[in-house]
Amino acid sequence: MDLKLAYAIHFVADMDRAVAFYRDTLSLPLKFASPEWTEFATGETTLALHPASAENPAGSTHLGFGTPDVRAFHQSISAQGVRFTKLPEPMHGMTLAEFVDPDGARCSVSG
């Protein structure tokens, strides 16, 4: 199974303040910014900022993995007892699914 960490999605209370911190204070290269989604170039893994919500409180982080075959990944780790909260489905021009780790943290996988 070819799986890599593609995104760390960090949920923020104030997008402008967060962008300023990561761009100006930490000097991370900004790929693009918008009110709903901002990305920084951090090597093979992208740091993405997203507005916080009741489901994703400020300060929490969501891991996003990438694999060439999301459906095969789903089948393989489902067989090992991993619980999926969103089954593989086309979304945003790719196939996307969501599962939880042993501590209940939601993780996404796309491809």
Side-chain angles (χ1 to χ4, degrees), residues 1 3 72-84 99-102:
M1 178 171 15
L3 185 69
F73 173 81
H74 168 258
Q75 203 169 37
S76 173
I77 71 166
S78 289
Q80 297 175 54
V82 174
R83 183 174 64 89
F84 275 75
F99 61 95
V100 293
D101 76 4

Side-chain angles (χ1 to χ4, degrees), residues 24-97:
D24 303 336
T25 305
L26 297 185
S27 300
L28 293 178
L30 182 66
K31 285 170 66 175
F32 72 89
S34 77
E36 297 299 317
W37 185 266
T38 296
E39 290 186 2
F40 292 91
T42 57
E44 288 190 31
T45 304
T46 297
L47 171 61
L49 304 180
H50 192 281
S53 66
E55 186 178 29
N56 300 296
S60 64
T61 302
H62 180 105
L63 301 178
F65 295 93
T67 187
D69 191 339
V70 175
R71 294 184 193 288
F73 173 81
H74 168 258
Q75 203 169 37
S76 173
I77 71 166
S78 289
Q80 297 175 54
V82 174
R83 183 174 64 89
F84 275 75
T85 55
K86 291 184 184 175
L87 297 177
E89 65 178 282
M91 187 179 288
H92 309 298
M94 65 182 103
T95 300
L96 184 68

